[in-house]
Amino acid sequence: MTALVPYSPFRRATPGLRALAAAFRDHEPRFTALGLLMLALMLPTGFAAAVDPREFLGVDIWVKPLKFELAIATYVLTLAFFARFVPAEVRAKRWYRAYIGAVVAVAVLEMLWIGGAAALGTASHFNESALGMVIYAVMGAGAVLLTSASTVYAVQIARNTKPEIGSALKEALVLGLALVLPLTLLTAGTISSMDGHWIGGQPSDAGGMALMGWARDGGDLRVSHFFATHAMHFIPAFGLVAATFFGAENRLPVRLFSLLFTAFVLYTFVQALMGQPFLAMGG
């Protein structure tokens, strides 16, 4: 008797290496090219960080460009992979191609300013010079356009009647992508309306958490901002696990996790506003 092999959405949703490369190359090559460009830029930026002794706000002046290069690469490469679930007829439309081109252009311009500001030894964000304030306002509008790509993908994947994945994973993709923009507008919008991302504690990244740099002696709004932008990763990842253990068509676990994740982001947001660190000194 042939043993029954339990269904796993991993086999259907996760392609092999060749198919994975094709998913990036064929379904959204512009986001793929942008992501690879950002990863390539990390090499000269990392070299600059190694040889340039200058610091800004207590850390190497090139740390911020490195973080943004990695963040943009992660964002657009994720979208490039998820593009395989956007209907082909949508990806072929003129408005879609123009929109993706605008998102790519905005991301490149943002990195040019962030990297240029580092080279000049000045702030890219919260720059109080006349030119800096104008550029910061333009950057804010550009960041909204960049982040809106997650919403566009959420809508188009939700409308896809033949996504070739179960309902649970589709729900996870849609909810994860859909939550990025509103949660990011809340967290990043609050940061932009203030003098910085610190609330209480010292306005310096010198004593921050390893890798992330989050403040440990006061509130830091970057914590909630980070988790907000990564809803598109945490929720779909849970969707894969939930589909395996609770069934490919069972959407309830995904919806409950999405609510819990949203509550967690709001918790870290309020925690920062109260001047409390995400992880305290010595914690």
Side-chain angles (χ1 to χ4, degrees), residues 8-272:
S8 172
F10 286 94
R11 289 197 297 275
R12 293 181 60 189
T14 306
L17 291 178
R18 288 186 178 180
L20 183 62
F24 285 105
R25 182 187 68 246
D26 299 338
H27 298 301
E28 190 37 72
R30 289 154 295 191
F31 277 164
T32 300
L34 175 61
L36 294 177
L37 173 63
M38 292 297 115
L39 292 177
L41 285 176
M42 292 183 70
L43 294 176
T45 306
F47 177 76
V51 300
D52 190 343
R54 293 178 298 165
E55 292 186 350
F56 189 77
L57 298 176
V59 296
D60 191 288
I61 200 167
W62 294 100
V63 165
K64 191 166 194 174
L66 275 171
K67 285 183 176 180
F68 271 81
E69 287 162 355
L70 179 58
I72 292 176
T74 302
Y75 177 67
V76 297
L77 287 175
T78 301
L79 290 177
F81 180 72
F82 288 168
R84 62 201 293 257
F85 303 115
V86 174
E89 59 270 21
V90 172
R91 287 184 271 117
K93 290 183 181 295
R94 182 178 299 176
W95 73 261
Y96 174 86
R97 297 197 301 269
Y99 172 75
I100 297 301
V103 171
V104 170
V106 162
V108 171
L109 291 174
E110 294 243 344
M111 275 313 311
L112 283 175
W113 168 240
I114 293 170
L120 294 172
T122 188
S124 57
H125 295 66
F126 307 107
N127 189 313
E128 296 183 356
S129 67
L131 178 61
M133 292 177 68
V134 171
I135 294 177
Y136 187 48
V138 174
M139 282 178 61
V144 173
L145 175 61
L146 178 62
T147 311
S148 71
S150 59
T151 301
V152 171
Y153 270 41
V155 172
Q156 296 305 324
I157 294 174
R159 291 177 175 177
N160 189 355
T161 58
K162 299 178 181 179
E164 299 182 353
I165 51 176
S167 298
L169 185 53
K170 178 182 176 180
E171 187 95 350
L173 288 172
V174 171
L175 289 175
L177 288 164
L179 284 171
V180 170
L181 182 60
L183 291 178
T184 300
L185 287 177
L186 172 65
T187 56
T190 302
I191 293 174
S192 66
S193 68
M194 304 175 69
D195 295 330
H197 49 76
W198 302 283
I199 300 178
Q202 296 297 317
S204 171
D205 290 334
M209 288 177 55
L211 185 63
M212 305 307 297
W214 295 336
R216 303 193 67 182
D217 61 349
D220 195 330
L221 289 167
R222 291 177 300 179
V223 178
S224 56
H225 181 33
F226 171 83
F227 287 113
T229 58
H230 287 286
M232 63 191 293
H233 300 109
F234 284 102
I235 296 175
F238 176 82
L240 277 173
V241 176
T244 300
F245 290 99
F246 302 109
E249 305 303 321
N250 188 355
R251 295 178 292 177
L252 181 60
V254 171
R255 292 175 178 178
L256 292 176
F257 180 80
S258 299
L259 286 173
L260 289 173
F261 185 84
T262 301
F264 172 72
V265 173
L266 295 177
Y267 165 77
T268 58
F269 177 68
V270 173
Q271 182 186 45

